[in-house]
């Protein structure tokens, strides 16, 4: 009977050692799971932060694009207004030149008439 008790004790000893080993392995696995959960939370937080940064940068880029478009349109409008003003000035200058040329032609005609009269007076 003693032999049988020794075997039972040996089996119980092995079972106790296996349970202790399994218990340690379970504790190790729980530690690894906890570490993985922490890393997943950190990655999720970083992902949310990166998404927020992306949205901020995208909104700023859109605002910059809108501002650039507005400035470009303002510059084009200003150039068109300047061109219209320059055209008005050019037309006014052309009109003045045309009036001066008409005056010059009339003065030339008057000088010829005067010269012709003087010539006739001198000839008579």
């Amino acid at each position: 009977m003693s032999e049988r008790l020794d075997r039972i004790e040996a089996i119980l000893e092995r079972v106790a050692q296996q349970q202790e080993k399994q218990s340690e392995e379970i504790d190790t696995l729980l530690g690894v799971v906890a570490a993985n959960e922490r890393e997943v939370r950190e990655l999720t937080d970083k992902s949310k932060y990166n998404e927020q940064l992306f949205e901020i940068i995208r909104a700023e880029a859109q605002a910059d694009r809108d501002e650039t478009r507005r400035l470009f349109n303002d510059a084009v409008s200003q150039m068109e207004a300047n061109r219209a003003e320059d055209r008005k000035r050019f037309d006014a200058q052309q009109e003045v030149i045309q009036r001066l040329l008409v005056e010059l032609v009339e003065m030339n005609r008057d000088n010829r008439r005067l010269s012709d009269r003087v010539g006739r007076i001198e000839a008579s």
Side-chain angles (χ1 to χ4, degrees):
M1 181 97 160
S2 158
E3 203 176 293
R4 190 171 178 186
L5 282 176
D6 288 341
R7 277 189 296 174
I8 292 173
E9 284 179 1
I11 290 171
L12 289 175
E13 182 70 28
R14 273 188 305 214
V15 169
Q17 288 174 350
Q18 286 177 345
Q19 284 179 341
E20 188 176 330
K21 183 179 177 185
Q22 287 176 347
S23 180
E24 288 174 2
E25 289 175 351
I26 288 171
D27 288 343
T28 301
L29 285 174
L30 289 175
V32 169
V33 167
N36 284 342
E37 286 178 351
R38 187 173 45 256
E39 287 179 17
V40 166
R41 272 195 306 275
E42 288 174 2
L43 288 173
T44 301
D45 291 345
K46 285 180 184 177
S47 176
K48 288 178 184 176
Y49 176 74
N50 287 340
E51 286 177 17
Q52 289 172 345
L53 281 179
F54 175 78
E55 288 301 321
I56 290 169
I57 291 170
R58 189 174 69 76
E60 288 176 354
Q62 182 65 42
D64 287 347
R65 214 174 304 124
D66 292 345
E67 178 69 10
T68 300
R69 189 174 292 125
R70 186 188 65 74
L71 290 173
F72 177 78
N73 289 338
D74 288 351
V76 168
S77 297
Q78 185 64 39
M79 287 188 298
E80 288 173 349
N82 288 346
R83 197 171 93 205
E85 186 63 32
D86 290 346
R87 185 68 191 168
K88 285 179 187 177
R89 282 191 206 118
F90 177 78
D91 290 345
Q93 290 171 348
Q94 289 293 94
E95 191 175 315
V96 167
I97 291 170
Q98 189 175 9
R99 275 189 262 141
L100 288 173
L101 285 174
V102 167
E103 288 291 325
L104 186 60
V105 167
E106 287 177 5
M107 191 184 321
N108 193 18
R109 218 179 285 144
D110 289 346
N111 282 342
R112 247 187 277 132
R113 285 182 193 156
L114 183 60
S115 179
D116 288 345
R117 279 186 189 167
V118 169
R120 275 186 255 140
I121 291 175
E122 288 177 350
S124 26

